[in-house]
Amino acid sequence: MQQWIVPIVFILLGWMAGLIGEKVFFKKLREFVLEKQIPGGEIIFTALHRMTFFWFLLAGFSGAFLYSSLNINNDIKIILQKIITILLLYSVTLVLARLTAGFVNLFIQRTAGVPASLISNLAKIGVFILGILILLQTIGVQITPIVTTLGVGGLAVGLALQDTLANLFSGFYLIISKQVRTGDYLKLDDGYEGYVTDINWRNTTIKEIKNNIIVVPNSRLASAIFTNYHLPAKAITLIMDIGVGYESDLEKVEIVTVEVAKEVMAEIAPELIENEPIIRFHTFNDFSIDFKLSMRVNEYFDQRIARHLLIKKLHKRYQQEGIQIPFPVREVYFHNQGSENSNLDVN
């Protein structure tokens, strides 16, 4: 019974140290880092979640094995040593893979504005595979035949998964070329449109305004004709066709319309107010003089609210200023055989 005291003490010490380290020191340190807003702090603590307890517990088992006076068979000792080594290396590999994915995602988010899971997940898988190969080499497994087998097998798998690989490399192309980024507003040639929420190894997800999700294979998106309303910049020009009556004072129409457009811009896009709204008269129409109003808005979706506000404010202001918005007028002629033409003016 005395032979078991030392191993049990080491295991209990490791368990208690892990519990205290996880629940007290680790928690306090995390709160401090988050309070100071240290860059990457959340990523580090997410990667180390539960690992502090596991490493202390593993150290307790290792101490129990090294300093115990139990008579253990030599082969069993070797097996136990390999198990402890495997668990330690696997946990370290897991932490490094999490850290790599987190910091790659952070880097992409800072450079592109929003995260993309494809590159971060591939970085995580790459670190994980490298860690497993190092683990196998450490415990005495020859990895050269494994790498060779993986190379030959990879060729066969590549032939079998052509569509999957096409989507994978198309996703890389979309991200590297920066033609599509998460957060961009796209309109596809088949009419679908919405915000890009993610680009993963197989498909790109697009969220419509009505909150539905469209899933587009990367290979199809890479070969599709689409409009990216966030490139080269999010801010776009809203163009509206407006008509006023022939009796209107066009100078007054221009002044009033620009003033109303500035009011709308000050409400929805104050940072763009330095871009003066522009109107250009272009057509003597059947019942109106038509012009185009151009004004800047923050992004594609803001066009809707801008049109809504502009129509309301223009209608009210035109009424106040006595500017007429004409309605269509048509002259309809009725021809009756044996009688004179009758002319009816229909308003």
Side-chain angles (χ1 to χ4, degrees), residues 128-197:
F128 195 78
I129 292 174
L130 182 61
I132 293 297
L133 292 176
I134 294 174
L135 188 154
L136 294 174
Q137 183 73 28
T138 302
I139 63 176
V141 177
Q142 294 296 322
I143 63 172
T144 304
I146 296 176
V147 173
T148 304
T149 304
L150 288 175
V152 176
L155 180 60
V157 171
L159 293 174
L161 301 176
Q162 292 185 40
D163 291 340
T164 301
L165 291 177
N167 286 322
L168 176 64
F169 288 112
S170 295
F172 268 121
Y173 166 74
L174 290 171
I175 293 174
I176 294 172
S177 66
K178 296 184 179 181
Q179 293 179 348
V180 178
R181 304 164 300 178
T182 48
D184 287 353
Y185 192 93
L186 298 187
K187 186 172 184 179
L188 307 182
D189 55 354
D190 52 9
Y192 293 111
E193 59 182 279
Y195 290 96
V196 178
T197 57

Side-chain angles (χ1 to χ4, degrees), residues 43 100-115 119:
I43 296 173
T100 301
F103 280 109
V104 167
N105 213 12
L106 180 63
F107 174 76
I108 295 173
Q109 188 170 3
R110 288 188 173 182
T111 54
V114 277
I119 295 179

